[in-house]
Amino acid sequence: MRKFRRQMAFACSAMIFAAPIALCGRAVAEDKLLTEAVNFTGTLTYLSAKVPGFMLIAVRDGEMAFAGFGKVTDTSNKAPDADTMFRIGSISKVFCGEVLASMVLDGKVRFTDRLQDRLGYGLTLPEKDGRPIRLIDLLTQTSGLPREVPRADGPPNDPFGTNTKEAQIADLKTNPLLFPPGTAALYSNYGFDLLGAALANAGGKPYADLLKERVFDPARHEKYRIQSVPRR
């Protein structure tokens, strides 16, 4: 009960003190529930995260609402808006998962395919306890690979420039997996690097082209759109 009261007190305080924050740059959707949900959830998240700036965007039945909180720089009071650029970060993993799912639907690959059979790097990939890395293991962060590709630091203007196919091959030749694939979970950007490479090899074209065709191209995306359940 005490924990619940503390949470309610925090929520009420957040609503009171964050009223000016919630009025930062935002698009108001015709769906009033969507607008309220974005602003309320965004306000609480911004206050609890203690970050300089934050933006929340939601799409529901074709309508979009977004709200910006905080400021874009230390020297500006401008709140993030629709034109503010953010590093895309791990959102790209969702896109990669959609590419994989669409290729499975098309019969190009299977979730249970061994990475060994799809990567095309021309080497024997590591296994542990007789368990190979499968595509589904890469997607679900259960591959046994470390967080990042072991490599030299890249320059400030291209910090990931040293994450190359050659660096990946060098590591795959020498370093064992941290655990048998599919038996544990560990966040791994490395795994998604290899998943993208495997999908590009299986699709016969650069991963960027697959991403455009299977995620960002509206006509292609419509083919795999999940039909919404009618409201009651």
Side-chain angles (χ1 to χ4, degrees), residues 130-145:
R131 299 179 71 107
I133 302 172
R134 304 167 301 167
L135 299 187
I136 191 65
D137 297 324
L138 299 170
L139 181 66
T140 57
Q141 306 281 22
T142 59
S143 65
L145 292 164

Side-chain angles (χ1 to χ4, degrees), residues 115 119 125-128 132-135 137-139 141-150 168 171-173 175-182 184-195:
L115 180 62
L119 188 57
L125 300 183
E127 298 183 2
K128 196 172 184 67
I133 302 172
R134 304 167 301 167
L135 299 187
D137 297 324
L138 299 170
L139 181 66
Q141 306 281 22
T142 59
S143 65
L145 292 164
R147 180 185 178 91
E148 303 289 349
V149 179
Q168 295 166 11
D171 177 69
L172 291 169
K173 284 182 176 179
N175 289 335
L177 299 177
L178 300 177
F179 53 82
L186 180 68
Y187 182 88
S188 175
N189 292 321
Y190 190 176
F192 274 83
D193 294 333
L194 296 179
L195 179 56

Side-chain angles (χ1 to χ4, degrees), residues 49-174:
K50 296 181 175 60
V51 294
F54 172 77
M55 176 172 281
L56 180 63
I57 303 171
V59 178
R60 182 172 186 260
D61 292 340
E63 290 224 28
M64 181 181 72
F66 68 86
F69 308 88
K71 53 188 180 180
V72 295
T73 68
D74 291 336
T75 58
S76 170
N77 289 323
K78 181 179 182 297
D81 58 24
D83 296 320
T84 303
M85 294 184 66
F86 289 85
R87 279 185 60 177
I88 192 169
S90 287
I91 294 175
S92 60
K93 293 181 174 62
V94 179
F95 299 155
C96 192
E98 185 167 349
V99 172
L100 171 59
S102 71
M103 292 181 70
V104 169
L105 287 174
D106 282 347
K108 302 291 186 182
V109 298
R110 296 177 301 175
F111 287 122
T112 54
D113 283 349
R114 298 191 313 161
L115 180 62
Q116 176 72 59
D117 301 327
R118 294 298 186 182
L119 188 57
Y121 275 11
L123 74 157
T124 300
L125 300 183
E127 298 183 2
K128 196 172 184 67
D129 293 350
R131 299 179 71 107
I133 302 172
R134 304 167 301 167
L135 299 187
I136 191 65
D137 297 324
L138 299 170
L139 181 66
T140 57
Q141 306 281 22
T142 59
S143 65
L145 292 164
R147 180 185 178 91
E148 303 289 349
V149 179
R151 56 189 172 83
D153 293 336
N157 64 338
D158 189 14
F160 299 103
T162 53
N163 183 1
T164 62
K165 175 181 177 179
E166 290 71 27
Q168 295 166 11
I169 289 175
D171 177 69
L172 291 169
K173 284 182 176 179
T174 58

Side-chain angles (χ1 to χ4, degrees), residues 7 17 19 25 39 41 43 47 146 149 164 170 179 187:
Q7 290 174 336
F17 292 112
N39 282 280
T41 304
T43 297
L47 291 174
V149 179
T164 62
F179 53 82
Y187 182 88

